[in-house]
């Protein structure tokens, strides 16, 4: 899917307006005015595509696809499986999900089909095949969008049977399963596969190996459903390309696994801009972290599939984007590797759940309304940024973010059940690196570490033996690693490692974990620079978890910070250990942001990572790089100086860099 320019458009729901040809006509004219070159069609169209079982109506869709194409607008065509028609749920109750408490849902909402139901798959296959036959070779259709925001789980008898089959394939015998789950605890040894049930509030909720495998299974089921739909279309249109729209900080699916099946990663981005607890820069960093995660999944440009041109209707308070923030947010996506800026939605619906959600065209239909004007400005800017399309990003730093680790970490009762703040932990590292202008990827434990200078392992509680060995090899060969508290604790079944921990990393770090103490939300422990430390770090405060480490007797780490209070005063709170041709940093707790800024300024320099912007930038101004392009964004409400130019409030400058120097593109 290479069309040589950035895509601009969004979810379009003409099925809601089929009785208003005047509006459909106006849409095409307005889209051209807004520099729209793509729309996503069909996401929730099933009840119009197949109003009665086996009675298909695709002409209306073909008319719209072709009218748009005649006006220079491509289609991303969605399969309608995310929301089924009422007749289907009524006639075939098995397609309705069963909740963890074993209640079968009534017909309701969307994204709640049973992914194991053979009948559901048969009905999806039938409608997908018709779409594929009708639109397969159509030059208007540039990409297939499978379903919508897959997620959630189903506990119906069909899924229970699939789960048992999945476990049999994973473990082979009940003996192996019992061992992996340490089922002897509380005498829970299983003697028959039929005894195994998915976790339930009124059932098993304390076998953490079971809970972890259920999450893996559910993730695999979603991916299996994606592959099923993809292969139905691919069977008819071999050259078709596929995406699925992914989500912010999403738990239910291992996106590293899913990404392997996608041609293009896409995601839906709805930051809560302007909340009082956060600056625009902080919200921008939180969003950038997600863009970088989605870029990393395939190491290739992704698509921003949905975003709001103005506000949502589901956040606690629906705040308007202040003037300039729609542009800032759109260009931020491109700066971080998106080849599109798309919206949910083109035109606001009149009724039901999302009638008050922001849209490019509101209920008044006016082209002089702010969301429309700002969207048109974004469209014009994207045309000027066409050289960005398809360009990659440098490989510099990687943060390990691995779904099984997140599931196991959050599912275990341990040193702090009041929350470990896993995503906050990732953000501590990400924000400091991003502010330093370092390009950050997110890798899993299967990913290659080749080409990175710096690898961060934050709270890598479930640390695979092979990854521990690769991390050691990476540092031995000259890389820099940062490893934090609560790393290397359990194996892939959530069984505690026996012997010294962080398992597999004690030689790398030059220390071992002796104890770990949980802190209440309001508790802090002072940490001060260690005497004779080889790197000056600022005094800081520890929070959340305080690991108490014992330095190795031979070849110990060099303390950088020590705890200054509590019974562990004097123990290392941060340390560095030269290892082979590289070095490993150890952080025993979670600290204040300035600690990470100082650590990464030093570590990035030692790792030879050059910042995106050659000159220091004022606070609130962020830089990012794609091949040959430098993006600098002012995330503040006041003008700011960057590279000798003044950026207006929320302004973005883009330079193209070549042998002859730097040329301003935007
Ligand atoms: C997305 C979803 C869209 C729409 C949007 C509203 O999560 O895919 O269909 O509901 O949210 O913000």
């Amino acid at each position: 899917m290479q069309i040589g320019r950035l895509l601009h458009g969004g979810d379009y729901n003409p099925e809601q307006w089929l009785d208003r040809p005047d509006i459909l006509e106006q849409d095409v004219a307005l889209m051209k005015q807004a520099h729209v070159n793509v729309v996503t069609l069909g996401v929730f169209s099933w009840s119009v595509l197949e109003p009665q079982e086996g009675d298909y109506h695709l002409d209306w869709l073909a008319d719209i696809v072709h009218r748009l194409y005649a006006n220079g607008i491509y289609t991303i065509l969605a399969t309608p499986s995310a929301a089924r028609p009422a007749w289907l749920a009524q006639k075939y109750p098995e397609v309705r999900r069963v909740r963890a408490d074993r209640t079968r849902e009534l017909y309701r909402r969307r994204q709640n089909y049973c992914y194991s139901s053979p009948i559901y798959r048969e009905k999806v296959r039938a409608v997908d095949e018709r779409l594929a036959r009708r639109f397969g070779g159509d030059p208007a259709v540039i990409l297939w969008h499978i379903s919508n925001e897959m997620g959630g789980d189903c506990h119906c008898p069909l899924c229970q049977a699939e789960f048992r089959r999945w476990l049999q394939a994973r473990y082979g015998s009940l003996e192996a399963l019992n061992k992996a789950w340490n089922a002897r605890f509380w005498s829970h040894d299983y003697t028959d596969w039929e005894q195994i049930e998915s976790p339930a509030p009124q059932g098993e909720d304390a076998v953490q190996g079971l809970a972890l495998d259920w999450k893996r299974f559910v993730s695999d089921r979603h991916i299996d459903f994606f592959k099923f739909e993809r292969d139905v279309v691919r069977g008819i249109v071999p050259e078709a390309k596929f995406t699925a729209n992914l989500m912010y900080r999403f738990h239910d699916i291992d996106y590293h696994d899913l990404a392997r099946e996608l041609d293009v990663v896409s995601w839906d981005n709805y930051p809560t801009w302007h909340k009082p607890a956060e600056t625009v820069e902080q919200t921008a960093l939180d969003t950038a972290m997600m863009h970088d995660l989605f870029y990393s999944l395939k190491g290739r440009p992704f698509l921003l599939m949905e975003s709001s041109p103005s506000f949502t209707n589901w956040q606690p308070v629906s705040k308007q984007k202040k003037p300039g923030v729609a542009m800032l947010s759109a260009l931020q996506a491109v700066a971080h590797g998106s080849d599109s800026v798309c919206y949910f939605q083109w035109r606001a619906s009149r009724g039901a759940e999302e009638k008050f959600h922001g849209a490019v065209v509101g209920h008044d239909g006016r082209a002089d309304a702010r969301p429309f004007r700002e969207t048109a400005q974004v469209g014009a800017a994207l045309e000027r940024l066409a050289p960005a399309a398809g360009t990659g990003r440098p490989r510099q730093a990687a943060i390990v973010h691995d779904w099984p680790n997140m599931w196991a970490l959050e599912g275990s009762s341990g040193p702090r059940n009041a929350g470990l703040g896993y995503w906050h932990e990732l953000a501590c590292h990400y924000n400091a690196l991003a502010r330093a202008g370092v390009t950050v990827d997110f890798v899993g434990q299967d990913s290659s570490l080749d080409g990175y200078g710096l690898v961060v392992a934050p709270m890598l509680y479930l640390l695979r033996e092979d990854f521990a060995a690769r991390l050691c090899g990476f540092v031995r060969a000259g890389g820099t690693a940062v490893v934090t508290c609560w790393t290397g604790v359990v194996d892939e079944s959530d069984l505690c490692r026996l012997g010294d921990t962080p398992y597999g990393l004690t030689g790398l770090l030059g220390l071992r974990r002796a104890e770990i103490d949980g802190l209440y939300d309001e508790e802090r422990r002072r940490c001060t620079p260690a005497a004779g430390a080889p790197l000056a770090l600022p005094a800081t405060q520890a929070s959340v978890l305080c690991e108490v480490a014992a330095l190795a007797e031979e070849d110990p780490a060099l303390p950088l910070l020590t705890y200054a209070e509590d019974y562990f005063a004097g123990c290392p709170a941060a340390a560095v250990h030269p290892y082979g041709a590289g070095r490993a940093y150890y952080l025993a707790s979670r600290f204040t942001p300035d600690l990470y800024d100082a650590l990464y300024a030093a570590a990035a320099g030692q790792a030879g990572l050059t910042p995106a912007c050659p000159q220091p930038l004022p606070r609130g101004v962020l830089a990012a790089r794609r091949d040959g392009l430098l993006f600098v964004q002012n995330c503040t409400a006041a003008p700011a100086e960057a590279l000798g130019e003044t950026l207006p409030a929320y302004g973005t400058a883009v330079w193209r860099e070549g042998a002859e120097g730097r040329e301003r593109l935007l």
Side-chain angles (χ1 to χ4, degrees), residues 44 110 148-149 245 268 270 306 312 314 344 354 357:
F44 300 117
R110 59 178 179 173
N148 192 66
E149 294 192 337
N245 50 343
D268 301 344
Y270 294 100
E306 293 181 22
T312 69
W314 50 264
F344 178 89
E354 290 177 335
H357 193 289

Side-chain angles (χ1 to χ4, degrees), residues 8 40 77 85 167 178 202 267 315 346 354 452:
H8 185 230
T40 306
L77 189 59
L167 291 169
N178 283 325
Q202 76 277 37
W267 85 286
Q315 291 168 351
W346 168 255
E354 290 177 335
Y452 293 112

